[in-house]
Each structure stands twice: as structure tokens, then as C-alpha cells.
Amino acid sequence: MSAALAALAAAAAVAIAVYIGRKWLFGPIYKPGCVSANASVLGGSFDSELLVKSTTSTTWNMPNGISIHHFAGPGPDNACPVLCIHGGPAAPPLQQWKVAEELAVLCPDAMKLHFMHQRGCGHSSRPFAKWPSAGMWPGLTTVEQTLGIGEQIADIERARRRLGVDQLVLVGHSFGGFMATLYAAEFPHAVKALVLIAPAAVLTLPPVAGPKHSFFDIIGSKLRSEEHQKDFGDFLRRYFDFGSLPKATETSLAALQEETLLHFQRAAEQAAKDAHDKGLQPEISLSDEPPVSAGLGGFAAWATYISMGREHDYRKQLRDRLQHSAFPVAIVHGTKDIMPPSSSQDYGDLFPSGHVSFHEVDGGHFVIEGESAKDVAKIIISTVAACDGDGPK
């Protein structure tokens, strides 16, 4: 009898594991609204000693032993704080974006950019050196609940409290633009202005425009060299081999992230060369190089993929939550970005049309750096100026 019960329990455990696995394989774990609805995710009360105002500290201690690295650009401490959400996922900047320098010149006393390394990357806490469980699905759950989208969004809300403001001016770049949008949908009352710079084309997976419009497919379509195509194919097999995650380490996954930047740069260079050979103005910036990272995250990147699932469509949920938002939204796209303008324009449909402006600037995906940074700084200034009254307090 006990053997039969044991066999039945084992079968039930397998069935549950398969169900959880399929849920991740085919649908998202994170759903818009789940963070703001769950106070426990935010670490309980925001009035705890962990979340007191601290605009100058280089370390923000968060609940459950997580520390977030924070630094600020030039400007007085009493200037309006602008929180920058970096991309990747899990690709933090080594130093402030050049946009911060341009803002300091254009409006030296009005605004000050603040940067935070998201949990699991850079100088912030990396809770896992290796897979945290002996099994696949328990490990997926632990990684996602610790480093996934829900906790990343909660950290932005915690950062708002740390900065001591009722409403945030948020600037998100690439995947950070996606994260900033999710935060705005979770806490629309806490957003004063939103600037999305080349926001990542992940509102739907796979992209509505078709699988060939995904980030990795666009990279692959630009590569011409047989050697580069072979390298990229091998990279994709390793990158999306989720079955091998229990054997992965933080170091090995961070190395895969580094390869992503290599293939992105190769694709940008090849696209520019193709245009030059045809006597055309390059559509892709030859100097579209990502800023040097302070340390790419490993498990943090894969945690976001687990959160999103392999298939999702967040558009309706985000529209429903943002339909009454009143803050101004600026969407910025580089004219020489390897990603098409539609990948940024899609974000405009999430917000009330009267609050959205779309801007194209001369540059690639990283318009936060280089000569285009001044144009981006002007867009940030004009967007904040569009706030009601005298701007953010």
C-alpha cells in the first residue's frame, strides 16, 4: 500500500512539474499588476529603515539581504531626481551616460540623473553563483522569484522611496524602457514623466510583425560572413538551451551575455558596410558600440526570460492599466538603430495619444552616448517641462 502511495505521489509530482514547466514554456509568469497588488513582494512597509530617503548613498539595502548599487550624475542634491533604468537585460553601465553630462550643461540646477545597477548584475547583489536547486523547476521558481521582473519592478518602487519623491521622472533605455513601462503600469500614480529610449521589442513574444522581427533574428539577418553566421548559430543554440541551466554558473551565463554584444556589434558594422558599398547613407551607426559594462549579469538575465515566458502579449493589459495615465511620455529612436522604428513606436499605443511624443535622433541604438546625447537631453528637458505646474517635486 505504501509503495502504491509513493508511486502515486511521485506521479503527481511529475505532473505538477510538467504543468509548471509548460506554463513557463508557453506563457508568462509575470503579469502586469501583480507587483502593486502584492505588498509582500515590496518587502512590507515602505516606512521600514531599509527604505528611508538616501540620495547620496552608493548602496541601497533592500529586503531579503539584496543590495543595489547606486550612483548619480552631476548636479545639486536638491535637483529633481531622474531615475535611469539600464538595458540588457542585466547590462549595467560602468559610469553615467553622457546624457547626464549634457543635462548638467543645459540645466545645471534643475535635474540630476540617478543610476542603479539592477539586482543580479554590476555591483549589486548576485545571489546565485550556481543553480540554486537540485531540480529544474524548483530552480526556475527560485531564480524567477529572486531576480525576475516582479522584483526588478519592486526595486524601482523602492528606489522611488529612497529618492524621497512622490513621483518619479523615469528614463529607460532598451530593455530598461520595457521595465520602465511595466513600472508605470504597476504604479501610474508614482510617475511624473516617462522617457523611453529605443525600448526593447518585447511587448509581445514572438513579435506580432513576425518571428523575423525579433532582436536575435534581426542580428542574424545582417550577418554576411559564413564564419559569423556559423558563430551566431552556435551562440543561439547555447543561449536558448534552457535545459542546461541547472549546469550553468553565474560566470558562464554572464559570458553568454558578453557574446550577445559581440554579435550585435558585428551586425551593426555589416549593415553599415552594406549601405556604404551601395553608395547609400548608412542606415546603421558604425560607432554604435554599447558603453562599457560594469559587469553583465548571468542568472538575472535568464530570470527575466523565465518571467516573460516564451509566448506573451502584454499590450492589452498594459493599455488597460495605462489608459487613464496623465504623465507625458517621450519615445526616442535612433535613425541608425539596427532595430526598426516600429519597435519603439509600438510603445506609443499603450498610452493616451495626447500624452505621447515620438522623436527620431541621429544615432544608433545607444543614443544615450556620443553626439546624439545632447539631443536626448533636450528631449528629457522638454518632457519634464510638460509636467503640470512647475514640474516634478
Side-chain angles (χ1 to χ4, degrees):
M1 183 66 176
S2 59
L5 287 175
L8 183 61
V14 170
I16 292 172
V18 169
Y19 171 77
I20 295 173
R22 284 180 175 173
K23 182 178 179 181
W24 167 71
L25 287 172
F26 298 108
I29 293 175
Y30 169 78
K31 295 183 178 179
C34 69
V35 177
S36 54
N38 185 0
S40 64
V41 172
L42 302 171
S45 172
F46 280 121
D47 297 325
S48 72
E49 61 180 8
L50 290 176
L51 300 174
V52 296
K53 180 178 179 180
S54 176
T55 61
T56 59
S57 173
T58 57
T59 301
W60 285 341
N61 292 319
M62 301 298 186
N64 302 318
I66 297 293
S67 64
I68 298 296
H69 179 65
H70 157 259
F71 61 98
D77 290 339
N78 62 351
C80 167
V82 178
L83 184 61
C84 299
I85 311 300
H86 66 74
L94 178 64
Q95 57 192 13
Q96 65 184 15
W97 299 337
K98 189 177 179 183
V99 168
E101 299 174 12
E102 298 292 350
L103 276 175
V105 172
L106 294 169
C107 54
D109 299 322
M111 283 181 279
K112 183 172 185 172
L113 266 60
H114 290 259
F115 300 85
M116 54 185 276
H117 289 178
Q118 294 157 17
R119 59 172 59 206
C121 67
H123 299 309
S124 294
S125 294
R126 298 177 186 241
F128 309 118
K130 60 182 181 179
W131 193 246
S133 172
M136 167 62 88
W137 308 124
L140 284 176
T141 300
T142 300
V143 169
E144 196 278 332
Q145 290 180 349
T146 306
L147 295 172
I149 286 178
E151 278 295 337
Q152 300 285 358
I153 293 171
D155 282 342
I156 298 175
E157 174 62 5
R158 294 165 183 144
R160 181 184 69 81
R161 290 294 179 123
R162 284 291 200 170
L163 293 172
V165 293
D166 293 329
Q167 292 182 308
L168 274 173
V169 176
L170 272 178
V171 176
H173 172 252
S174 194
F175 199 85
F178 173 63
M179 295 298 296
T181 300
L182 296 183
Y183 173 83
E186 293 274 2
F187 303 99
H189 62 281
V191 177
K192 191 67 176 180
L194 184 64
V195 180
L196 308 176
I197 304 171
V202 290
L203 291 175
T204 66
L205 285 181
V208 171
K212 295 301 182 183
H213 289 74
S214 75
F215 174 74
F216 289 105
D217 282 307
I218 287 176
I219 289 178
S221 70
K222 304 296 182 184
L223 299 176
R224 298 287 181 271
S225 160
E226 183 177 341
E227 178 184 357
H228 287 176
Q229 290 177 347
K230 181 180 179 181
D231 287 348
F232 187 60
D234 174 68
F235 160 75
L236 289 179
R237 284 189 290 274
R238 290 180 288 114
Y239 195 87
F240 290 106
D241 182 10
F242 281 82
S244 67
L245 277 177
K247 299 178 182 178
T249 65
E250 175 68 16
T251 301
S252 67
L253 293 178
L256 275 177
Q257 287 286 83
E258 191 73 36
E259 286 189 57
T260 306
L261 299 182
L262 167 66
H263 294 296
F264 178 92
Q265 181 63 18
R266 283 178 173 177
E269 291 175 351
Q270 184 62 57
K273 182 179 183 300
D274 289 346
H276 181 271
D277 290 346
K278 295 176 182 178
L280 302 174
Q281 179 71 20
E283 297 179 358
I284 306 297
S285 174
L286 276 168
S287 60
D288 192 18
E289 297 184 7
V292 177
S293 173
L296 296 168
F299 284 114
W302 272 259
T304 62
Y305 300 144
I306 297 168
S307 294
M308 292 189 293
R310 293 193 175 185
E311 294 180 6
H312 70 250
D313 187 345
Y314 285 134
R315 293 174 301 171
K316 184 181 185 305
Q317 292 169 291
L318 293 176
R319 286 194 201 103
D320 289 346
R321 297 189 64 84
L322 292 166
Q323 61 180 326
H324 300 301
S325 60
F327 50 84
V329 180
I331 301 172
V332 183
H333 192 84
T335 57
K336 299 174 182 177
D337 196 335
I338 192 172
M339 301 300 292
S342 60
S343 64
S344 294
Q345 292 168 340
D346 288 346
Y347 279 78
D349 295 334
L350 305 177
F351 304 91
S353 59
H355 297 281
V356 180
S357 60
F358 184 77
H359 309 263
E360 287 190 314
V361 298
D362 184 23
H365 191 68
F366 296 92
V367 291
I368 51 176
E369 303 289 346
E371 296 180 1
S372 54
K374 185 174 183 179
D375 293 329
V376 174
K378 291 179 179 178
I379 293 168
I380 295 173
I381 292 171
S382 64
T383 306
V384 173
C387 298
D388 294 335
D390 296 327
K393 301 295 184 184

